[in-house]
Amino acid sequence: DGGITQSPKYLFRKEGQNVTLSCEQNLNHDAMYWYRQDPGQGLRLIYYSQIVNDFQKGDIAEGYSVSREKKESFPLTVTSAQKNPTAFYLCASSPASGGLKETQYFGPGTRLLVL
Amino acid sequence: AQKITQTQPGMFVQEKEAVTLDCTYDTSDQSYGLFWYKQPSSGEMIFLIYQGSYDEQNATEGRYSLNFQKARKSANLVISASQLGDSAMYFCAMWGTGRRALTFGSGTRLQVQP
């Protein structure tokens, strides 16, 4: 079955530690995205990538970094510079068809907690 | 810049009744797409329905329909014959020709009562 996998489901971070959230898709989509969701809030865009080896900052990129070395993978690193990382992180992908109906498909999410 | 506004933090509806979830948007793009997603308590985001800015007909997908009023910049979601399984967060989102990513509203929590 095609889909998006995120791991781990829960992640604990200690002060001053960098952690990496995994996102893999087998939908053959060109575009991938990372969103952050705080309790009771909407999704805010962290980073997005329309093609391999290229990515753009979203609205809240500070304290985060990404890489896009493979089409299938778009890992997100939460660095020690992100002072309030506790949130639910959602990865998504879309075909990058060039049209307006660019439906994004989401993974199950990773919940990050600070110890 | 794009902005999505959902003014109803929470809504209650009786089972089998219809409910309308409000969404207004603001954009400088001439062409754009509007989406609704459902988020159950498990956290997954489920795509429900899409409306393009140039579509003349309101979109429908089963029990979901989108009441699109372009002049008023609104894209309300209508759920007919509500079911208990419809209880979830609902998010309105926009795709524009400028930024190649979705912009989401703050969501509406819908609770369906038996």
Side-chain angles (χ1 to χ4, degrees):
Chain A
D1 285 335
I4 302 174
T5 58
Q6 291 186 243
S7 62
K9 187 173 182 179
Y10 295 94
L11 185 57
F12 299 91
R13 194 191 90 162
K14 296 180 181 178
E15 292 287 339
Q17 187 181 41
N18 292 355
V19 292
T20 297
L21 285 62
S22 169
C23 178
E24 303 274 336
Q25 55 100 359
N26 62 4
L27 298 169
N28 199 33
H29 286 169
D30 284 313
M32 297 188 74
Y33 313 82
W34 274 106
Y35 292 91
R36 169 179 171 146
Q37 186 179 26
D38 292 287
Q41 303 295 315
L43 280 65
R44 292 185 290 168
L45 182 67
I46 305 173
Y47 270 98
Y48 61 108
S49 167
Q50 295 289 311
I51 197 168
V52 174
N53 292 323
D54 188 40
F55 49 83
Q56 288 77 42
K57 293 182 179 180
D59 300 318
I60 56 166
E62 186 175 349
Y64 300 96
S65 66
V66 293
S67 63
R68 186 86 188 276
E69 297 176 0
K70 297 188 299 182
K71 185 175 182 177
E72 305 80 27
S73 177
F74 192 39
L76 173 74
T77 296
V78 184
T79 74
S80 57
Q82 173 49 244
K83 298 305 180 188
N84 185 23
T86 296
F88 187 52
Y89 290 86
L90 285 157
C91 177
S93 72
S94 68
S97 61
L100 295 175
K101 191 178 180 181
E102 189 66 13
T103 305
Q104 291 184 6
Y105 297 91
F106 286 79
T110 292
R111 207 166 291 278
L112 177 60
L113 300 168
V114 176
L115 295 177
Chain B
Q2 300 172 341
K3 185 175 181 181
I4 298 285
T5 302
Q6 295 181 252
T7 57
Q8 306 156 312
M11 291 279 287
F12 289 91
V13 65
Q14 291 294 121
E15 196 177 5
K16 299 180 184 177
E17 291 186 351
V19 62
T20 298
L21 306 184
D22 294 341
C23 171
T24 58
Y25 60 91
D26 192 19
T27 181
S28 55
D29 290 338
Q30 294 300 309
S31 302
Y32 49 88
L34 295 156
F35 298 76
W36 277 90
Y37 281 83
K38 172 184 179 180
Q39 186 181 42
S41 57
S42 58
E44 64 192 299
M45 295 286 285
I46 302 167
F47 166 68
L48 295 178
I49 195 166
Y50 164 84
Q51 178 86 39
S53 59
Y54 290 112
D55 294 341
E56 294 184 355
Q57 301 275 353
N58 284 342
T60 60
E61 291 285 349
R63 293 186 299 111
Y64 304 108
S65 60
L66 200 152
N67 184 0
F68 180 50
Q69 298 185 47
K70 192 171 182 178
R72 299 180 65 179
K73 293 189 175 181
S74 74
N76 298 339
L77 177 70
V78 181
I79 305 175
S80 63
S82 297
Q83 302 172 355
L84 295 177
D86 294 335
S87 294
M89 284 288 288
Y90 289 82
F91 292 98
C92 181
M94 167 183 284
W95 177 276
T97 52
R99 184 168 82 169
R100 308 298 293 175
L102 286 175
T103 299
F104 284 84
S106 57
T108 295
R109 180 172 298 280
L110 177 66
Q111 295 188 56
V112 181
Q113 297 176 318

